[in-house]
């Protein structure tokens, strides 16, 4: 004789413990966290690329360091994020020397030298140049020549590192 | 008479789930933290030496004395291609008399050929000159910055047979515009 299920017990299932199956999520998180820890650099970013320009890419592996920041975007030449002169106004100029940029750089140089005297932080004349990748060589050269004549002879060009 | 409970039902294995909540809490905190500090674009710098002519007449004088044994290898980037020259000779394309390495037919610069030629040159000169690591770059005024950087890359080192060879790592940008 077959077993007849009890009709009274049919709905009396009571609270059921449902547990989420988190295994796949854990897998995903583990992979993400390993990736993020691998890309994590302890130094952080010392140079922040400006928003309105695209740096050229290169295969160099030299890490950037902190220095005076000269940005040459499509429109403005900026020193430490303060606009100095419009790039368009340099087009006609034949001379390599940019007086406005020179004045600004000299101001920073005197400041840096004053700090050197007071606190002993050496003034090395380092300057990093961030240029837009479409910038014509003539403009870039004018900026570099001016830096060289304004107590900042150690120039570095900031680039994106090509991966692989 | 009551039914005897089945033995099979009694030994049903019970599912025991790991308590993953502490781990989840940790991950939920760690992932945004690492994401916010992650640097996805890596920056690098190309170190340049001062254009010699910009440092005044004194540098010109000393340069004049030393240049007897110097190579003064120069790449000139023009719209038509690369010219390679040294203090003695300008290399030209033997056929047309144009640039040493003309641009490709699609207008792109032939960086590979430039690297290869510089590599051959490097084998020949080895260390007879005091400036055998230095290369001078010149360009016409409308050459784009990216082309300049790519040329520097091509002049600095070459990838051959899975190995990297150093070519001319000391890049000097010439102060003159042609």
């Amino acid at each position: 004789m077959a077993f007849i299920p009890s009709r009274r017990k049919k709905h009396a299932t009571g609270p059921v413990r449902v547990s989420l199956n988190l295994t796949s999520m854990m897998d995903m998180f583990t992979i993400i966290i390993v990736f993020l820890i691998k890309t994590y650099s302890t130094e952080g970013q010392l140079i922040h690329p400006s928003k309105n320009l695209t740096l050229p890419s290169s295969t160099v592996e030299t890490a950037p360091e902190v220095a005076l920041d000269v940005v040459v975007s499509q429109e403005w030449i900026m020193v430490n994020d303060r606009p100095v002169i419009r790039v368009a106004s340099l087009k006609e100029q034949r001379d390599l020397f940019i007086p406005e940029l020179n004045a600004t750089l000299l101001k920073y140089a005197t400041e840096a030298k004053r700090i050197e005297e007071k606190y002993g932080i050496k003034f090395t004349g380092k300057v990093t140049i961030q240029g837009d990748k479409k910038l014509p060589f003539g403009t870039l050269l004018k900026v570099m020549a001016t830096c060289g004549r304004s107590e900042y002879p150690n120039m570095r060009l900031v680039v994106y590192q090509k991966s692989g | 008479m009551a039914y005897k409970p089945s033995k099979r039902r009694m030994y049903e294995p019970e599912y025991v789930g790991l308590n993953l909540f502490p781990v989840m809490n940790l991950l939920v905190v760690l992932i945004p933290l690492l994401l916010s500090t992650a640097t996805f674009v890596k920056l690098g710098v190309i170190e340049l030496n001062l254009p010699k002519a910009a440092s005044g007449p004194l540098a010109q004088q000393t340069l004049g004395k030393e240049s007897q044994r110097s190579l003064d290898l120069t790449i000139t980037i023009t719209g038509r291609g690369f010219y390679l020259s040294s203090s003695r000779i300008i290399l030209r394309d033997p056929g047309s008399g144009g640039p040493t390495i003309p641009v490709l037919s699609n207008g792109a610069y032939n960086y590979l050929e430039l690297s290869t030629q510089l590599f051959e040159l490097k084998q020949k000169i080895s260390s007879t000159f005091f400036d055998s690591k230095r290369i001078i770059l010149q360009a016409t005024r409308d050459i784009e910055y990216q082309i300049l950087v790519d040329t520097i890359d091509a002049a600095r080192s070459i990838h051959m047979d899975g190995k990297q060879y150093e070519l001319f790592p000391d890049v000097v940008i010439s102060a003159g515009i042609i």
Side-chain angles (χ1 to χ4, degrees):
Chain A
M1 196 171 108
F3 175 76
I4 305 164
S6 150
R7 284 204 178 159
R8 213 177 338 141
K9 284 183 187 167
K10 198 178 170 186
H11 296 287
T13 41
V16 183
R17 257 188 78 90
V18 181
S19 67
L20 266 175
N21 189 4
L22 292 176
T23 319
S24 43
M25 198 170 174
M26 287 291 300
D27 289 352
M28 190 183 76
F29 274 171
T30 314
I31 291 168
I32 293 176
I33 216 151
V34 167
F35 166 74
L36 285 176
I37 288 175
K38 256 206 70 119
T39 55
Y40 184 76
S41 80
T42 42
E43 305 170 329
Q45 234 164 342
L46 298 175
I47 296 177
H48 291 271
S50 297
K51 296 241 157 42
N52 43 6
L53 64 100
T54 326
L55 297 174
S57 44
S58 161
T59 52
V60 277
E61 273 144 24
T62 330
E65 49 193 304
V66 185
L68 185 72
D69 219 9
V70 175
V71 177
V72 192
S73 72
Q74 293 277 25
E75 286 188 23
W76 286 92
I77 294 180
M78 293 181 277
V79 177
N80 272 2
D81 286 336
R82 291 220 192 99
V84 175
I85 185 173
R86 273 191 180 275
V87 174
S89 64
L90 296 177
K91 268 234 167 92
E92 305 305 316
Q93 182 184 331
R94 271 207 75 78
D95 190 22
L96 286 176
F97 191 65
I98 310 167
E100 291 88 347
L101 182 61
N102 175 52
T104 318
L105 286 175
L106 283 182
K107 217 163 37 181
Y108 279 103
T110 17
E111 181 75 2
K113 277 182 187 153
R114 214 168 49 86
I115 288 173
E116 183 180 3
E117 265 174 36
K118 262 190 180 167
Y119 308 109
I121 302 168
K122 260 213 158 334
F123 173 63
T124 48
K126 275 183 199 157
V127 62
T128 56
I129 300 174
Q130 301 179 32
D132 191 275
K133 67 176 182 183
K134 291 251 174 3
L135 205 73
F137 180 69
T139 313
L140 187 75
L141 194 69
K142 280 173 198 159
V143 173
M144 285 170 55
T146 312
C147 287
R149 275 157 76 172
S150 317
E151 311 206 28
Y152 283 97
N154 289 324
M155 280 166 263
R156 280 112 220 270
L157 301 177
V158 184
V159 289
Y160 286 134
Q161 275 185 28
K162 261 182 220 167
S163 47
Chain B
M1 191 176 125
Y3 284 100
K4 191 184 171 209
S6 154
K7 267 195 175 166
R8 252 186 296 167
R9 280 183 93 79
M10 294 289 283
Y11 294 110
E12 198 174 281
E14 199 184 336
Y15 173 73
V16 183
L18 267 176
N19 187 9
L20 289 176
F21 287 106
V23 186
M24 288 290 299
N25 289 345
L26 185 77
L27 288 182
V28 166
V29 173
L30 261 183
I31 282 178
L33 178 90
L34 287 176
L35 256 182
S36 63
T37 54
T39 52
F40 291 105
V41 277
K42 266 191 150 180
L43 290 177
V45 286
I46 301 174
E47 292 194 22
L48 291 178
N49 300 313
L50 172 71
K52 281 284 188 288
S55 50
L58 192 74
Q60 291 277 359
Q61 261 176 16
T62 49
L63 199 76
K65 267 183 202 161
E66 283 175 356
S67 62
Q68 288 148 10
R69 290 293 294 150
S70 74
L71 178 65
D72 288 333
L73 186 63
T74 307
I75 307 176
T76 309
I77 315 166
T78 66
R80 290 163 58 210
F82 301 114
Y83 286 92
L84 280 178
S85 58
S86 74
S87 51
R88 304 208 176 126
I89 192 168
I90 298 174
L91 297 172
R92 280 180 192 279
D93 185 29
S96 59
T100 323
I101 302 153
V103 286
L104 299 172
S105 49
N106 59 0
Y109 285 82
N110 198 345
Y111 300 111
L112 197 70
E113 179 63 26
L114 178 69
S115 288
T116 320
Q117 288 216 10
L118 287 176
F119 182 69
E120 282 166 16
L121 214 85
K122 179 95 180 174
Q123 303 310 97
K124 280 180 209 155
I125 59 163
S126 57
S127 57
T128 40
F129 297 96
F130 78 91
D131 60 350
S132 59
K133 281 189 169 185
R134 200 178 71 186
I135 195 155
I136 303 166
L137 275 181
Q138 276 185 328
T140 47
R141 62 174 64 229
D142 51 345
I143 293 297
E144 277 178 20
Y145 186 26
Q146 177 69 62
I147 295 171
L148 181 80
V149 170
D150 286 339
T151 313
I152 293 174
D153 281 350
R156 209 182 38 233
S157 60
I158 184 172
H159 250 304
M160 275 204 323
D161 316 322
K163 265 200 209 158
Q164 190 141 10
Y165 297 95
E166 186 185 66
L167 293 174
F168 300 92
D170 291 350
V171 178
V172 181
I173 300 218
S174 161
I177 305 181
I178 329 149

